[in-house]
């Protein structure tokens, strides 16, 4: 059984989708949700599924003993970032080399980097006049949005699209593909 920790900062729609997808799975289990914000709506979503959750301050999150103890206690094999906005510390990347997976709401390397999340990305796509956007699922390294790409999925952008309609299109891709790519990545790496 592969045990996942999901790191969240916001509303948690991707987190909830991942939990639902693997709820009765015999190979993958969501064992822990960690948030850097006590007010993250994701924590309310998680509670109804009975998945343990923990809130850590930024200082606690960057403290190697605190975060590593938490992950070891819960026997975590992989970390999934689902709307988590803090930079992952180097010690965690080394301990979980190619075992931290993130989703980004654009086709990297375009529209990535510090400050490029959520509506900021969709506004930038609109302003740039892009004809397509999508999602990038990638491994995490020491720099925002620059780890090895696992998969990308595209959707067209029309001149009539607003940042809000772009966000809706991207969200559909996230819901459809993120859990599927997680499963494929985990099972491939376990062979």
């Amino acid at each position: 059984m592969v045990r996942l920790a999901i790191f969240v900062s916001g509303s948690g729609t991707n987190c909830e989708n991942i939990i639902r997808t693997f709820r009765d799975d015999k190979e993958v289990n969501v064992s822990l949700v960690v948030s850097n914000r006590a007010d993250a709506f994701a924590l309310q979503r998680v509670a109804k599924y009975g998945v343990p959750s923990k809130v850590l301050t930024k200082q606690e999150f960057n403290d190697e003993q605190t975060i590593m103890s938490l992950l070891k206690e819960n026997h975590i094999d992989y970390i999934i970032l689902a709307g988590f906005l803090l930079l992952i510390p180097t010690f965690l990347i080394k301990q979980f080399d190619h075992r931290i997976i993130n989703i980004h709401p654009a086709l990297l390397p375009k529209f990535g980097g510090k400050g490029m999340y959520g509506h900021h990305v969709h506004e930038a796509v609109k302003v740039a006049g892009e004809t397509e956007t999508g999602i990038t699922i990638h491994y995490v390294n020491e720099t925002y949005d620059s780890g090895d790409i696992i998969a990308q999925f595209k959707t067209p952008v029309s001149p009539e699209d607003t940042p809000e309609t772009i966000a809706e299109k991207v969200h559909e891709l996230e819901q459809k593909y993120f859990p599927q790519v997680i499963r494929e990545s985990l099972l491939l790496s376990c062979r």
Side-chain angles (χ1 to χ4, degrees), residues 21-172:
T21 298
F22 296 119
R23 185 172 33 191
D24 298 318
D25 197 282
K26 295 187 184 344
E27 297 176 302
V28 181
N29 176 264
V30 178
S31 304
L32 178 68
V33 172
V34 179
S35 180
N36 64 310
R37 292 182 43 212
D39 64 345
F41 190 69
L43 297 172
Q44 292 179 40
R45 292 180 189 275
V46 167
K48 65 184 175 189
Y49 294 99
V51 175
S53 63
K54 180 80 173 169
V55 177
L56 297 177
T57 65
K58 184 176 182 180
Q59 181 179 349
E60 290 171 320
F61 183 76
N62 286 299
D63 179 71
E64 185 170 359
Q65 184 174 352
T66 300
I67 190 74
M68 290 308 298
S69 294
L70 178 64
L71 297 173
K72 285 178 185 172
E73 286 167 16
N74 289 277
H75 310 285
I76 300 303
D77 300 302
Y78 279 80
I79 299 168
I80 308 300
L81 307 185
F84 188 69
L85 300 180
L86 296 181
L87 187 64
I88 302 300
T90 301
F91 69 82
L92 196 54
I93 292 168
K94 288 181 179 174
Q95 288 288 323
F96 285 83
D97 183 39
H98 279 78
R99 292 186 295 138
I100 305 174
I101 298 173
N102 185 38
I103 187 166
H104 184 76
L107 298 172
L108 294 174
K110 290 183 177 183
F111 310 107
K114 186 172 181 154
M116 290 304 284
Y117 62 91
H119 69 92
H120 301 291
V121 174
H122 309 309
E123 288 169 359
V125 166
K126 175 66 178 173
V127 167
E130 295 290 314
T131 58
E132 66 180 7
T133 191
I135 61 171
T136 302
I137 301 166
H138 65 94
Y139 292 111
V140 174
N141 64 13
E142 290 86 354
T143 308
Y144 283 112
D145 303 323
S146 66
D148 294 338
I149 293 173
I150 301 168
Q152 291 185 310
F153 300 93
K154 299 175 182 179
T155 187
V157 176
S158 71
E160 296 78 31
D161 278 325
T162 64
E164 292 75 25
T165 58
I166 294 169
E168 289 169 13
K169 290 178 177 185
V170 167
H171 185 68
E172 284 179 28

